[in-house]
């Protein structure tokens, strides 16, 4: 394939191919979303789908820079997310995630939401962010499309909404991506981000991998090996 040099990531020494999955999509997406959202020590971050590959990376990086991390995941995955450094983990299928987030933040809401769920969860992300200064970085829509009107921004959710697509970032702002990849390399070299531990399937079991994804029973990356 052909791509800008800034988007290329060498596989670290000693890593297998499957351990390197996520180096050019999931981990850069997590870091770019955090940086666009202004992550910093002392701020509070809400990470949805925190047991996925992008979510786990976001939790680890946010904790590393000194942010307080609130994560969402299904109950069976909470231990994985806590091990990555989350301070609090909420049930991703809870009835009112925004209310739970506000209870954890003394009613203020979080400084940054990493929003990849979409669907009905999008409104919860908007409601969980701080009024006026809160940021919601949208980089996925696994739960379906959702909409936000100008009326909603003015009278209901006074927040900053930022869209992120890594492919567009590569083409439109390669210098920004280069900064992200350089920081990612430093996090890898410093041992903050460690080799991935994907669930491995034979290529012939691709249908089962998709079924497991649909059932939300997977954690992190999936690797299909021919």
């Amino acid at each position: 394939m052909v791509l800008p040099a800034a988007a290329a990531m060498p596989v670290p020494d000693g890593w297998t191919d499957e351990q390197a999955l996520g180096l050019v999509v999931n981990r850069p997406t997590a870091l770019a979303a955090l940086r666009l959202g202004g992550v910093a020590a002392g701020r509070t971050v809400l990470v949805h789908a925190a047991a996925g590959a992008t979510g786990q990376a976001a939790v680890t990086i946010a904790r590393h820079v000194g942010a307080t991390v609130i994560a969402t995941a299904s109950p069976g995955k909470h231990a994985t997310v806590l091990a990555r450094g989350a301070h609090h983990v909420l049930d991703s299928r809870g009835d009112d995630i925004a209310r739970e987030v506000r209870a954890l933040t003394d009613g203020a809401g979080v400084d940054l939401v990493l929003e990849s769920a979409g669907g009905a969860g999008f409104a919860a992300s908007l409601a969980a962010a701080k009024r006026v200064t809160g940021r919601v970085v949208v980089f996925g829509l696994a739960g379906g499309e959702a909409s936000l009107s100008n009326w909603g921004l003015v009278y209901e959710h006074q927040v900053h909404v930022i869209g992120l697509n890594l492919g567009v970032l590569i083409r439109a702002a390669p210098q920004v991506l280069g900064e992200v990849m350089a920081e990612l390399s430093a996090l890898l070299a410093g041992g903050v981000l460690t080799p991935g531990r994907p669930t491995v399937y034979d290529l012939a079991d691709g249908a089962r991998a998709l079924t497991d994804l649909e059932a939300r029973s997977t954690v992190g990356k999936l690797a299909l090996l021919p």
Side-chain angles (χ1 to χ4, degrees), residues 122 126 131-132 134 136 147-162:
F122 183 59
L126 298 172
R131 305 300 86 179
V132 181
V136 180
S147 61
L148 172 62
S149 66
N150 53 353
W151 186 95
L153 279 173
V154 174
Y155 294 108
E156 188 175 12
H157 303 296
Q158 298 81 22
V159 298
H160 303 252
V161 180
I162 303 168

Side-chain angles (χ1 to χ4, degrees), residues 204-218:
D205 290 330
R208 181 164 63 89
L210 292 175
T211 299
D212 291 347
L213 277 173
E214 188 176 24
R216 297 185 179 184
S217 63
T218 62

